[in-house]
Amino acid sequence: MRPLELYLHIPFCVQKCKYCDFLSAPAPAGERREYVESLCRQIRKYHELAKAYHVVSIFIGGGTPSLLESCQMERIAEAVRETFVLEEDVEFTIEANPGTLTMEKLETYRKLGVNRLSLGLQSADNDELKRLGRIHTYEDFLESFRLARQAGFGNINVDLMSGIPGQTLTGFEHTLKTVAELGPEHISAYGLIIEEGTPFYEMYGEKGRERAQHAGELPDEETERKMYHRTREILEGYGFLRYEISNYAKPGFSCRHNLGYWDRTEYLGIGTGAASLIGHERWNQGEEKITLSMQDEMEEYMFLGLRKMEGVSRRRFRVLFGCEMETVYGQVLENMQKKNLLECAGDFVRLTEFGIDVSNYVMSEFLL
């Protein structure tokens, strides 16, 4: 039986955040009930495929999965356990937003085997949260964090964001230190990306209709660069290790589900818009399957694997593709090392500190 990661998408939220381009939207209770029933039927349809796999991680994301009632989450977990063989130590994560959690929900999650909680904070500054369109305050987050600990969660991730409109370097440093002092096991720290189709795109995007009136609200490029570097410096001071470009964990608490994505472990996404990679085929729910060529898979191995601080393994490349990494990428590797963007560490090729700063450029060089 091969390892499989399972992703379940819950496309509902209380309100759409101004920066969000994820597949999510508010919906009435009846629509949420119908979706859960449909999701459970979809899960059970994979009973034949499931025979070839054992599930090593489950991630229920969204949207805001914690919007669902406890009984709805129970039905989803029941469908999963009836259909798939789960590893005894399966990592089981649920995303949750402050303001939607109760002790009753948290106790249900624990009963269902959920052992990792991901809380979407973004900022410890209430003004910044308002600018993002978040439904909660920092005080709401503190209460959710306290309840999660009380319910027995010993593996909690907190999502943070830099580059928020009106955010200063000092303000971001305060958020990092404030959250780190709470002692979560994992922190994901992402820079704000202005996505087309969002309210923020109209306000800050290159072709946004309101751009002129919001000029100067976003931190400039140099401030964003400093925020990125201070993230590592501050979190490492609190005992967090950066194991991926935007992810930090206490020893032993790296997110196994995310590592599986970057290592190209097979994964099955179920629910509206969820993505899957099974064998050599990739697809989004409701769309046609795409068969990946060896070239596609080599590219993905390199630009996904280079997100990890350990980098990509030459030995594994040889096992997967039957040739040496240098045979395919020799010139690129040589050029990137000359520019001090990549370095070799035994079997691994990884980004340098300078390479991390321009990682998008480095990874684009591995497209064949």
Side-chain angles (χ1 to χ4, degrees):
M1 298 178 74
R2 306 201 300 271
L4 179 71
E5 299 195 325
L6 190 61
Y7 175 80
L8 307 175
H9 189 67
I10 309 299
F12 306 119
C13 53
V14 175
Q15 70 179 27
K16 195 82 167 173
C17 296
K18 295 176 183 178
Y19 60 88
C20 179
D21 74 331
F22 295 149
L23 190 54
S24 62
E31 187 173 327
R32 296 201 294 267
R33 283 195 300 271
E34 290 175 6
Y35 181 86
V36 169
E37 293 305 309
S38 173
L39 183 66
C40 290
R41 289 194 296 271
Q42 291 176 39
I43 292 169
R44 290 187 170 97
K45 285 181 180 178
Y46 286 101
H47 66 278
E48 283 299 322
L49 180 144
K51 293 176 182 178
Y53 295 92
H54 59 103
V55 172
V56 296
S57 68
I58 305 168
F59 197 105
I60 302 182
T64 306
S66 52
L67 262 185
L68 296 184
E69 301 297 331
S70 293
C71 60
Q72 294 171 328
M73 201 62 77
E74 287 173 338
R75 292 182 66 81
I76 293 171
E78 179 184 16
V80 168
R81 292 186 181 277
E82 287 179 357
T83 306
F84 294 92
V85 174
L86 307 187
E87 281 282 277
E88 187 175 336
D89 65 341
V90 63
E91 180 188 82
F92 191 165
T93 304
I94 286 182
E95 286 185 334
N97 274 344
T100 64
L101 280 173
T102 63
M103 179 56 78
E104 186 262 341
K105 287 182 180 180
L106 288 163
E107 288 176 344
T108 297
Y109 300 163
R110 294 287 293 153
K111 182 182 70 175
L112 297 176
V114 177
N115 50 29
R116 185 173 184 273
L117 195 68
S118 183
L119 292 173
L121 170 59
Q122 314 311 341
S123 172
D125 184 297
N126 286 334
D127 288 335
E128 291 176 7
L129 292 174
K130 285 181 183 178
R131 293 187 203 110
L132 291 172
R134 303 293 288 177
I135 65 167
H136 62 85
T137 63
Y138 178 64
E139 291 70 29
D140 292 330
F141 162 79
L142 284 178
E143 177 63 8
S144 294
F145 189 89
R146 183 189 68 80
L147 288 176
R149 287 298 198 214
Q150 188 178 331
F153 279 94
N155 190 355
I156 300 177
N157 169 64
V158 180
D159 285 339
L160 298 179
M161 183 178 289
S162 61
I164 297 170
Q167 188 179 57
T168 64
L169 177 60
T170 301
F172 181 60
E173 290 174 338
H174 171 74
T175 285
L176 287 170
K177 293 174 183 177
T178 299
V179 172
E181 286 172 6
L182 294 174
E185 286 67 37
H186 191 286
I187 292 177
S188 298
Y190 299 102
L192 173 66
I193 298 176
I194 305 300
E195 301 284 5
E196 194 168 353
T198 65
F200 267 15
Y201 183 81
E202 296 302 319
M203 298 165 68
Y204 305 113
E206 290 185 7
K207 299 180 181 179
R209 291 193 296 268
E210 307 166 32
R211 187 182 182 195
Q213 69 190 72
H214 294 282
E217 293 182 4
L218 290 176
D220 59 37
E221 189 174 318
E222 178 61 17
T223 300
E224 285 196 46
R225 187 188 66 79
K226 290 179 180 178
M227 287 177 176
Y228 186 78
H229 284 279
R230 288 296 286 151
T231 300
R232 180 182 62 81
E233 293 167 359
I234 289 172
L235 293 185
E236 286 185 355
Y238 283 92
F240 291 88
L241 303 178
R242 180 168 64 179
Y243 67 96
E244 188 269 346
I245 286 178
S246 301
N247 285 273
Y248 299 78
K250 294 289 181 66
F253 288 95
S254 298
C255 179
R256 286 154 49 193
H257 189 84
N258 286 344
L259 282 171
Y261 279 141
W262 300 316
D263 283 334
R264 299 190 75 251
T265 300
E266 291 178 277
Y267 55 87
L268 179 64
I270 306 175
T272 304
S276 300
L277 172 66
I278 299 293
H280 301 289
E281 292 184 324
R282 181 186 300 285
W283 71 91
N284 286 349
Q285 190 87 19
E287 298 181 5
E288 289 187 12
K289 295 181 179 180
I290 298 172
T291 300
L292 301 175
S293 66
M294 183 176 291
Q295 176 178 310
D296 294 330
E297 294 185 355
M298 287 178 176
E299 292 175 348
E300 289 187 3
Y301 177 83
M302 297 301 292
F303 67 70
L304 290 175
L306 283 171
R307 292 189 63 88
K308 300 178 298 175
M309 292 303 97
E310 72 173 11
V312 291
S313 163
R314 289 189 177 94
R315 182 171 57 251
R316 186 157 182 256
F317 188 97
R318 183 167 60 248
V319 169
L320 290 173
F321 306 116
C323 62
E324 300 296 330
M325 187 183 291
E326 284 76 8
T327 302
V328 182
Y329 288 114
Q331 190 63 55
V332 176
L333 293 171
E334 183 179 339
N335 290 341
M336 293 296 102
Q337 288 181 73
K338 283 181 178 178
K339 294 178 181 179
N340 192 32
L341 299 173
L342 288 178
E343 63 184 7
C344 296
D347 177 52
F348 286 87
V349 176
R350 65 190 184 192
L351 293 170
T352 62
E353 281 298 316
F354 180 39
I356 292 171
D357 283 347
V358 290
S359 58
N360 287 340
Y361 161 69
V362 177
M363 292 170 189
S364 70
E365 290 296 291
F366 288 92
L367 299 177
L368 295 169

